[in-house]
Amino acid sequence: MRTLLAGSFAASAFVVSGCDRRPDTGVVVASAIGAPPRVADASRVALDMPSRLMMDSTAQGLVRFDAGGQIEPGLAERWIVIDGGMSYIFRLREGDWGDGTPVTAEQVVAMLEHQIAPASRNPLAPFLTAIDEIVVMTPQVIEVRLSRPRPDLLKLFAQPELALLRLRPTGGTGPFRVARRGRAPLLRPAFDPGQADPDDQRAAKPEEDVRLIGERAARAIARFANRDADLVTGGSFVDWPLLATTDIAPANVRIDPAAGLFGLAIVRRDGFLAEAQNRAAVAAAIDRTALTAAIAPAWDPADRILPDILDSAALPQVPAWTLLTQDERRTAARQRVAAWTGGPITLRIALPTGPGATLLYAQVAASLLAVGITPARVAVDAAAELKLIDAVAPYDSGRWYLATACVVCGDAAQAALEAARQAPNLAERGARIAAADAAMNEDVAFIPLARPLRWSLVSPRLRQWQANPRAWHPLNRLRADTN
């Protein structure tokens, strides 16, 4: 997807060559697309990009992601996996909350249990049901015991939604503290009692601070273009067309090889969409190549739910219509529509606002009109037959893809997904994920379109920024000489 840059920006008459040269002085200003950042309990409220960064920066979890999307220590300084992957033992480092009180193993266990409780609204909770119990072993050691092996558990623990947040008084363990509150908080590296040179930590340099701003994409892009920000993060297909109107150098625009889902979930299965063959006709009718090219050249389309074999025992299932040309697909879809005796067909499509979403709707609408279906665009939270799913995968399991795609599925697909979740060992899990993939392919509950498009604007001073499949860029891993 990195070739996306050249194609898109070559079309703009406003692009200048080269990369701007900003001095590496002063506070790093990071603008994240979304609402003003806040510290919030993920078991109660959804976190947008600015708040996820705020949580990751001030209330890290047991582990966290580094600049390249790999696992590194967080509050846990080390860990081991034993009993064939059924037990994770974490040794906590010496740490304290913002008010100076020490972190205890009992507190950590209580916080994790709160996030994965049955009543939790944490989006990761459905993928943590293999956790049997979390226990305190010593004042510095906790154990996470599983009923079924989960090799990707650390990737879930590294997500901001599992940050260790104390609610009263609210706060976390770093790696930053809030030095100045407000709509654009100033974050300063937290004092770490485990480091060898505590005096050096107290002599903080302005370049070590980060000001985190949450704002809409147009303002964030303008701020970067005016050299008032060093980073814009959280960009998606919705905002990508805005970049063509600026003179930001192509070298400053970075694309993540994001892994995840991008497509239309079928959320009503009545009328024309009550039959799987009709749902497949809608999926086949959409011209994915034209759709992705209209938004961002070289954005790769997708025609299947699983991007790769992952932890499945079989290759990803591919719809039968992929063997046909686009003209043949539309002809077959047009025949299905013509054979329908239930009257005119109208499909409501729930999409976010923004220029990229408008381009997406135009392409989907053109494909549907070409086969005799009337489209109607509605708000993302409105009643609809089709709803856009645009999500980066938090970990690399076929079950995440299939369960996320299954917004409304048939009984057979749901049973197959539940069987995969309950698999007692990894070999059986792989076989059951393969079976669930086949069931989902037959059920046609999701229409894949592409892979998630995630972009950032990055100034040269942020030398440690790296593109990665999680599309995640921790604020303490931006400059090569920061904590």
Side-chain angles (χ1 to χ4, degrees):
M1 286 183 62
R2 293 182 185 178
T3 57
L4 191 81
L5 296 178
S8 176
F9 283 92
S12 172
F14 301 101
V15 171
V16 297
S17 61
C19 184
D20 65 356
R21 301 296 178 184
R22 309 182 191 204
D24 188 11
T25 57
V27 174
V28 172
V29 177
S31 181
I33 296 173
R38 58 175 176 164
V39 175
D41 182 358
S43 72
R44 299 180 179 178
V45 298
L47 305 180
D48 65 356
M49 178 58 75
S51 293
R52 295 184 82 231
L53 282 169
M54 186 73 171
M55 291 292 290
D56 180 72
S57 299
T58 62
Q60 65 189 334
L62 290 171
V63 293
R64 51 188 293 113
F65 289 120
D66 65 12
Q70 300 300 310
I71 298 297
E72 68 175 6
L75 188 56
E77 61 183 1
R78 58 182 181 271
W79 54 88
I80 59 172
V81 183
I82 61 173
D83 294 341
M86 302 288 280
S87 173
Y88 286 69
I89 299 176
F90 297 90
R91 181 172 184 84
L92 307 179
R93 65 176 174 82
E94 182 182 355
D96 57 56
W97 306 109
D99 61 1
T101 57
V103 174
T104 67
E106 289 84 358
Q107 292 170 326
V108 171
V109 168
M111 292 170 187
L112 290 174
E113 289 178 336
H114 171 73
Q115 292 298 334
I116 66 175
S120 173
R121 296 171 60 188
N122 192 309
L124 300 181
F127 304 101
L128 292 164
T129 57
I131 295 178
D132 191 31
E133 60 179 337
I134 308 174
V135 298
V136 176
M137 299 184 70
T138 76
Q140 291 81 37
V141 178
I142 69 169
E143 180 183 11
V144 179
R145 298 171 181 169
L146 306 180
S147 58
R148 304 174 294 276
R150 289 293 181 268
D152 278 330
L153 185 65
L154 292 178
K155 292 177 182 176
L156 288 168
F157 278 161
Q159 298 290 332
E161 285 79 5
L162 289 181
L164 297 169
L165 173 66
R166 186 176 59 169
L167 298 177
R168 294 183 182 82
T170 303
T173 63
F176 288 100
R177 301 274 190 240
V178 179
R180 191 176 306 152
R181 301 188 182 277
R183 291 177 59 85
L186 180 67
L187 308 179
R188 180 159 294 157
F191 175 74
D192 186 348
Q195 288 192 12
D197 300 314
D199 291 338
D200 290 344
Q201 293 185 68
R202 295 188 177 94
K205 302 174 182 178
E207 292 76 18
E208 297 175 350
D209 294 348
V210 177
R211 184 174 298 282
L212 177 58
I213 302 171
E215 57 190 350
R216 57 190 178 89
R219 291 182 62 89
I221 293 170
R223 189 185 300 275
F224 187 91
N226 291 333
R227 301 192 178 190
D228 293 327
D230 302 289
L231 173 71
V232 174
T233 192
S236 73
F237 88 102
V238 169
D239 317 301
W240 175 264
L242 295 175
L243 295 176
T245 66
T246 73
D247 61 354
I248 296 172
N252 293 130
V253 184
R254 310 289 182 86
I255 302 295
D256 282 299
L261 280 176
F262 184 91
L264 298 171
I266 297 175
V267 294
R268 287 183 62 95
R269 296 161 66 100
D270 53 9
F272 183 74
L273 297 181
E275 297 182 28
Q277 287 182 316
N278 291 345
R279 298 194 293 271
V282 173
I286 298 174
D287 187 341
R288 289 157 178 76
T289 300
L291 183 153
T292 53
I295 299 172
W299 183 18
D300 295 330
D303 55 16
R304 64 204 70 181
I305 296 176
L306 298 187
D308 206 339
I309 192 169
L310 301 175
D311 53 352
S312 173
L315 293 172
Q317 290 284 313
V318 181
W321 51 259
T322 60
L323 300 175
L324 305 177
T325 66
Q326 188 62 53
D327 286 341
E328 291 171 334
R329 297 174 194 176
R330 284 192 173 173
T331 298
R334 195 177 295 113
Q335 291 172 349
R336 294 292 306 182
V337 171
W340 172 251
T341 60
I345 303 169
T346 298
L347 296 182
R348 295 167 295 178
I349 307 169
L351 297 172
T353 59
T358 299
L359 292 174
L360 174 71
Y361 175 71
Q363 291 298 318
V364 172
S367 292
L368 296 182
L369 287 168
V371 299
I373 297 174
T374 301
R377 180 177 179 174
V378 298
V380 70
D381 56 352
E385 282 72 40
L386 306 175
K387 181 177 182 178
L388 182 70
I389 302 295
D390 180 12
V392 175
Y395 69 118
D396 302 310
S397 173
R399 199 181 85 81
W400 178 88
Y401 285 85
L402 297 169
T404 304
C406 179
V407 177
V408 178
C409 293
D411 293 341
Q414 291 184 40
L417 283 168
E418 179 61 17
R421 185 183 72 84
Q422 296 284 1
N425 55 61
L426 294 180
E428 183 66 21
R429 179 178 171 85
R432 294 185 185 183
I433 287 175
D437 188 22
M440 284 286 291
N441 188 57
E442 183 177 352
D443 190 64
V444 196
F446 184 79
I447 302 175
L449 298 176
R451 295 303 167 206
L453 172 60
R454 294 293 185 270
W455 58 267
S456 299
L457 302 178
V458 186
S459 72
R461 72 181 297 206
L462 306 185
R463 295 181 294 276
Q464 201 174 358
W465 189 100
Q466 297 180 41
N468 63 78
R470 304 288 158 231
W472 183 249
H473 306 288
L475 300 183
N476 68 320
R477 292 289 181 257
L478 295 176
R479 295 177 63 255
D481 56 348
T482 57
N483 59 313

